[in-house]
Amino acid sequence: MHIADFVSGSFAGACGVAVGYPLDTVKVRIQTQKQFTGVYQCAVATFSKEGVHGFFKGMSLPLTTVSLTSSVVFGTYRNCLQCLSQARGACGGPHTKLEVFLSGLAGGIAQISVMSPGDIVKVRLQCQMESKRAGGGVTKPRYRGPVHCLLSIVRQEGVTGLYRGALPLVLRDGPSFATYFLTYTTICDWLSERSGRRVDWAGVMLAGGISGMAGWTIGTPMDVIKARLQMDGVQGTKRYRGFVHCITDTLRLEGPGVFFRSLGINCLRAFPVNMVVFLTYEVLTGFLQDGPENPPRVGLE
């Protein structure tokens, strides 16, 4: 078992959250609140009303949960690659594109059980426009922080409330991570073949950034549905009867373009985040596997 991938994946995920959280907040608000017409307008409105703090609402819990989920994703991915390679009788040889795709799919689905609770807390805190610094006569925020939000959901909706939106989350992250890892390995292989040597830091960062954009291109439609189901009924009457009704109602009222409404900001956020994620992952994995006396590896084996 590749333990190093679980550890380095955890640190890589935490670094990715720190880099991308402000744009993630803007993305979630655009997806769930019609008062925001675009990235710039949402960012300006958030800053003017809530200050810099408004972009980092609910970050502490996702920082923990994303570290855990990234550990599961990268660890599952690497170990699935090993199992598939052994089943093919080619242990130690290059992996096929199908093995990479299926291992990425498995990694994306495996992390849902630990990701969903933290994700719904993140979304609800990000969509909470009221500021805790507001004076008298101004509506106070519903949730005082990540822990209070988590406990409130359990108390009001039960434990299953933490998994609202889990189905679109599975349909988002399974195909997204399959595309994510396939794109990364394909670009790394191409760069390695072109240069005749192992991919350097710049190549890892380029491949990581592009793979993040590719993954979010696949996952954005389900990301919109997930966020709407997670916020449904929080600020008023419950609107959607379930997953299918959310899709059909959204499509009927807002047209197919709404499913890609946040694609631009997803890609804008994904490039730097996944540059950092893959660079951190490759450096730490190389350090843990080879030791401090050897230079860290880059590129996937």
Side-chain angles (χ1 to χ4, degrees), residues 183-227:
T183 303
Y184 179 72
T185 54
T186 299
I187 294 175
C188 283
D189 288 346
W190 180 76
L191 290 174
S192 180
E193 290 171 3
R194 188 179 181 186
S195 64
R197 55 188 173 84
R198 180 166 278 185
V199 182
D200 61 13
W201 308 121
V204 167
M205 294 173 73
L206 176 64
I210 294 175
S211 67
M213 294 173 69
W216 273 110
T217 300
I218 298 298
T220 292
M222 283 298 107
D223 190 52
V224 173
I225 298 301
K226 172 199 71 76

Side-chain angles (χ1 to χ4, degrees), residues 2-252:
H2 293 269
I3 301 297
D5 293 273
F6 285 98
V7 177
S8 54
S10 175
F11 281 96
C15 291
V17 171
V19 171
Y21 203 83
L23 284 176
D24 187 65
T25 298
V26 173
K27 176 207 73 171
V28 169
R29 291 186 172 186
I30 289 174
Q31 288 177 336
T32 59
Q33 301 180 36
K34 294 181 181 179
Q35 69 200 70
F36 300 118
T37 57
V39 175
Y40 179 76
Q41 185 259 344
C42 180
V44 170
T46 298
F47 181 77
S48 62
K49 187 173 182 180
E50 304 163 69
V52 175
H53 169 74
F55 294 101
F56 294 92
K57 282 185 174 179
M59 180 176 167
S60 57
L61 186 61
L63 196 61
T64 303
T65 57
V66 170
S67 295
L68 180 58
T69 57
S70 291
S71 172
V72 173
V73 168
F74 280 94
T76 302
Y77 168 75
R78 177 65 68 178
N79 284 283
C80 280
L81 272 181
Q82 183 183 36
C83 291
L84 291 173
S85 181
Q86 289 174 345
R88 186 166 52 92
C91 186
H95 301 292
T96 67
K97 295 295 188 287
L98 180 60
E99 288 173 348
V100 172
F101 184 86
L102 293 176
S103 298
L105 184 71
I109 294 174
Q111 49 106 39
I112 300 300
S113 60
V114 291
M115 179 185 185
S116 189
D119 189 67
I120 192 170
V121 169
K122 173 185 78 69
V123 168
R124 292 200 177 179
L125 288 173
Q126 287 174 324
C127 292
Q128 185 170 261
M129 295 292 293
E130 299 83 9
S131 174
K132 289 190 288 187
R133 297 173 295 178
V138 179
T139 304
K140 293 292 183 180
R142 179 174 184 173
Y143 304 116
R144 297 192 295 270
V147 175
H148 179 248
C149 180
L150 183 73
L151 295 176
S152 296
I153 293 172
V154 173
R155 185 172 62 252
Q156 295 165 9
E157 306 172 44
V159 176
T160 56
L162 296 174
Y163 291 89
R164 185 193 288 192
L167 177 56
L169 196 57
V170 168
L171 296 176
R172 183 195 76 176
D173 284 358
S176 291
F177 276 105
T179 305
Y180 180 65
F181 284 110
L182 180 60
T183 303
Y184 179 72
T185 54
T186 299
I187 294 175
C188 283
D189 288 346
W190 180 76
L191 290 174
S192 180
E193 290 171 3
R194 188 179 181 186
S195 64
R197 55 188 173 84
R198 180 166 278 185
V199 182
D200 61 13
W201 308 121
V204 167
M205 294 173 73
L206 176 64
I210 294 175
S211 67
M213 294 173 69
W216 273 110
T217 300
I218 298 298
T220 292
M222 283 298 107
D223 190 52
V224 173
I225 298 301
K226 172 199 71 76
R228 293 193 173 200
L229 286 173
Q230 289 173 329
M231 285 300 297
D232 190 32
V234 175
Q235 298 172 330
T237 306
K238 192 172 175 64
R239 178 176 177 180
Y240 305 116
R241 295 192 296 271
F243 172 67
V244 175
H245 180 246
C246 181
I247 295 176
T248 56
D249 189 64
T250 299
L251 183 62
R252 179 176 58 85

